[in-house]
Amino acid sequence: MSESRDFDLIVIGAGSGGVRLARMSAQKGARVAIVESRYLGGTCVNVGCVPKKLFVYGAHVREDLEDAAGYGWQVPGDGVRFDWPTLVANKNAEIERLNGIYQQLLEGAGVTIIQGTATLRDGHTVAIGERELSADHITVATGSWPATPDIPGRELILSSNEMFYLPQLPREAVVWGGGYIAVEFAGILAGLGVETTLVYRGELFLRGFDDDIRQFMVGELEKKGIRLRFNTTINAVEESGTGYAVSLSDGSVMQTGLVLAATGRRALTDGLGLEALGVEFTASGHVQVDETFHTAAPSISALGDVIGTPQLTPVALAQGMVLSRRLFGDGEGEMDYRNIPTAVFCQPAIGTVGLTEAEAREAGHKVVIYRSEFRPMKHTLSGRDERSLMKLVVDGDTDRVLGAHMVGPEAGEIIQGMGVALKCGATKADFDSTLGIHPTSAEEFVTMRTPVA
């Protein structure tokens, strides 16, 4: 490393991937600085995974109160009140605590934290305001930002960022989109008593998930009172009284108190100056990198959401570990994007790992399907009309389990274990020989014996 430069590594962006890269590299003895213009922890901690799941917990309390009667608890309906500002304030306090932990972790590892907006002057120089710092290596870990379609009234539409700081809840809301964020926020709003409509341009939401899961969720979300409008998009939004008039592509107009666009995210590279340094971009606008996370500019690397890999916190964390090892360790390490477990924290939740049935067939596998649909044990007494779905995609030639998919309570917790099994190459026979934990929903994964397709 060059002693004439200020640092061995400057990381731009203190989200999950950037913080992990900075910490691990500093612990290996590198001189590291991290530059952040907003908040430590990035999207996940501040306006993503963490506050979202806290809101999901809050939204689910209403159902728990309603279900209590089946277990002998009498909850007076006129004595139960929900206060949105309290939930937001408590969420804010938790996020501030996590911001502090991130600061402690970075400082404890010896990382220099710099608050400000970074611009690259050349392949080794970063400017933060009037200050310029040099480094042997620069890593862009600036993440992504909500992308709202450019339609009339765009300025009236909220993104997921603003949803975490709403001063009050509306009576009605329109959620525009069909991915993770749209489905999750539709569930949060409906669970908190907001009359919610989900508008999506395609025939069916959650593109990329197993088709059985997607179809199953239609019925489950409708049971929650969420109105689903498929094959429809929003053409314009305008103020109307105390709310908004939403003009839809089918010619209808909806009146609502809030419009949330969860229509995708774009790589956040504005103002960095990457183009002038020869850094290339993909067709989707993400920073182009090779398998070692290096760009076309030799001293500049990138990781996380900004490079267009799966936009999941654990992916960015793993990338940070790999890049740190390559820059300041033994120079080895690579990412494996196969069998990444993931969850959608809608209500009921979705958990999935491995290939969908369609992907397995497209890849040429002789596919055998095991599927089970049932009422979770809790609801045998609560009386709630909510069902669970579990599905295994198996290779008929090798007996290897190619995919595991679930809708139901604690789906994320359960699928995490399935992720270990698939990573180890488990077969259906391995599942069959594993004793279940009774009575649980999870045991269904090891007791499905009869293929359905």
Side-chain angles (χ1 to χ4, degrees):
M1 298 300 170
S2 173
E3 293 297 328
S4 63
R5 295 194 172 109
D6 299 309
F7 295 97
D8 300 317
L9 170 67
I10 295 177
V11 181
I12 303 174
S16 300
V19 168
R20 179 60 60 89
L21 169 63
R23 285 181 55 216
M24 294 301 102
S25 299
Q27 289 174 359
K28 290 180 171 67
R31 299 169 300 150
V32 182
I34 192 165
V35 184
E36 175 55 56
S37 62
R38 292 184 179 86
Y39 27 55
L40 297 180
T43 294
C44 178
V45 168
N46 295 276
V47 288
C49 327
V50 174
K52 171 195 67 184
K53 195 166 185 185
L54 293 175
F55 280 6
V56 170
Y57 284 138
H60 201 270
V61 170
R62 186 180 72 169
E63 289 191 350
D64 289 336
L65 293 172
E66 293 171 349
D67 293 346
Y71 288 89
W73 291 88
Q74 300 302 314
V75 180
D78 58 355
V80 177
R81 296 287 185 273
F82 170 67
D83 185 64
W84 168 254
T86 297
L87 175 58
V88 173
N90 290 342
K91 178 270 297 181
N92 290 344
E94 173 60 11
I95 300 310
E96 288 173 7
R97 185 186 72 86
L98 294 175
N99 293 151
I101 288 176
Y102 269 72
Q103 181 173 343
Q104 293 169 15
L105 289 172
L106 288 167
E107 291 176 343
V111 177
T112 299
I113 303 173
I114 301 171
Q115 189 70 32
T117 300
T119 301
L120 279 74
R121 295 290 189 231
D122 57 43
H124 295 283
T125 308
V126 175
I128 307 98
E130 298 299 320
R131 184 181 183 187
E132 289 193 354
L133 298 172
S134 61
D136 290 331
H137 303 281
I138 298 172
T139 298
V140 176
T142 46
S144 61
W145 203 249
T148 302
D150 188 11
I151 63 169
R154 177 183 181 182
E155 70 281 0
L156 304 174
I157 301 173
L158 301 184
S159 74
S160 54
N161 289 353
E162 293 82 48
M163 290 298 294
F164 292 108
Y165 298 96
L166 280 180
Q168 61 185 14
L169 284 179
R171 290 182 56 188
E172 307 96 11
V174 172
V175 179
W176 184 15
Y180 282 71
I181 298 172
V183 174
E184 289 171 336
F185 265 109
I188 290 167
L189 289 166
L192 295 176
V194 178
E195 295 180 15
T196 304
T197 301
L198 179 66
V199 176
Y200 180 52
R201 65 182 180 181
E203 293 185 1
L204 192 60
F205 51 22
L206 296 171
R207 183 165 53 90
F209 285 79
D210 188 88
D211 287 340
D212 278 347
I213 298 294
R214 300 170 72 196
Q215 293 284 357
F216 188 80
M217 283 305 300
V218 170
E220 293 305 306
L221 291 189
E222 288 178 336
K223 290 176 189 176
K224 306 294 183 183
I226 299 172
R227 294 185 291 269
L228 303 176
R229 300 282 297 269
F230 295 130
N231 296 309
T232 308
T233 192
I234 296 178
N235 287 339
V237 178
E238 61 183 22
E239 292 182 301
S240 175
T242 59
Y244 306 97
V246 181
S247 300
L248 301 177
S249 57
D250 61 6
S252 63
V253 178
M254 292 183 61
Q255 300 294 322
T256 189
L258 178 151
V259 182
L260 163 64
T263 47
R265 298 177 68 87
R266 63 179 181 84
L268 189 56
T269 59
D270 303 346
L272 286 174
L274 294 174
E275 297 88 346
L277 302 181
V279 173
E280 298 175 352
F281 293 81
T282 66
S284 60
H286 294 93
V287 177
Q288 179 72 58
V289 297
D290 61 18
E291 66 278 3
T292 68
F293 303 107
H294 281 85
T295 71
S299 59
I300 301 174
S301 54
L303 55 75
D305 289 2
V306 78
I307 67 172
T309 46
Q311 295 187 5
L312 300 167
T313 294
V315 170
L317 293 173
Q319 291 174 342
M321 297 285 285
V322 169
L323 183 53
S324 176
R325 182 179 171 186
R326 283 190 165 273
L327 292 178
F328 304 108
D330 59 11
E332 302 294 330
E334 60 183 21
M335 282 293 298
D336 182 359
Y337 295 103
R338 296 171 298 176
N339 293 329
I340 298 174
T342 189
V344 183
F345 294 106
C346 44
Q347 301 175 53
I350 298 170
T352 183
V353 62
L355 300 181
T356 65
E357 179 178 348
E359 288 170 340
R361 294 189 187 283
E362 186 177 347
H365 295 281
K366 178 184 176 183
V367 176
V368 180
I369 299 298
Y370 296 82
R371 184 171 56 239
S372 177
E373 181 184 331
F374 57 94
R375 189 182 198 180
M377 184 178 180
K378 175 184 178 181
H379 297 315
T380 59
L381 294 190
S382 76
R384 181 169 300 280
D385 183 17
E386 180 178 295
R387 297 185 68 78
S388 289
L389 173 69
M390 293 186 176
K391 178 175 180 178
L392 288 176
V393 180
V394 179
D395 186 312
D397 291 327
T398 65
D399 198 43
R400 182 169 179 171
V401 178
L402 302 174
H405 311 280
M406 174 183 175
V407 175
E410 306 301 338
E413 307 289 346
I414 293 170
I415 289 295
Q416 180 67 79
M418 297 298 105
V420 176
L422 265 65
K423 204 71 173 178
C424 293
T427 63
K428 183 61 169 63
D430 293 325
F431 274 62
D432 293 343
S433 65
T434 300
L435 298 182
I437 301 173
H438 185 74
T440 65
S441 293
E443 68 177 316
E444 198 73 16
F445 272 121
V446 299
T447 58
M448 290 186 280
R449 295 289 187 268
T450 306
V452 299

